[in-house]
Amino acid sequence: MIAHAQDDEERARVQAALDTALKFSDAQGVLMACLQLMQPCPARDGQATP
């Protein structure tokens, strides 16, 4: 499960992490940050299946 950003403050932190990962060519960091920023969030929106 990926923890998606829930508010503007968290979104800003994830965006900063994405910017840093891009700067240092951290492919895994880029992937994780992109997944966190994706919308909609199936888990949050009740669409996830156990």
Side-chain angles (χ1 to χ4, degrees), residues 16-30:
L18 174 58
D19 293 342
T20 300
L22 287 168
K23 179 179 177 182
F24 291 103
S25 299
D26 176 3
Q28 290 178 330
V30 170

Side-chain angles (χ1 to χ4, degrees), residues 24-41:
F24 291 103
S25 299
D26 176 3
Q28 290 178 330
V30 170
L31 175 63
M32 292 304 296
C34 287
L35 289 172
Q36 287 179 306
L37 291 172
M38 287 175 54
Q39 297 294 328
C41 173

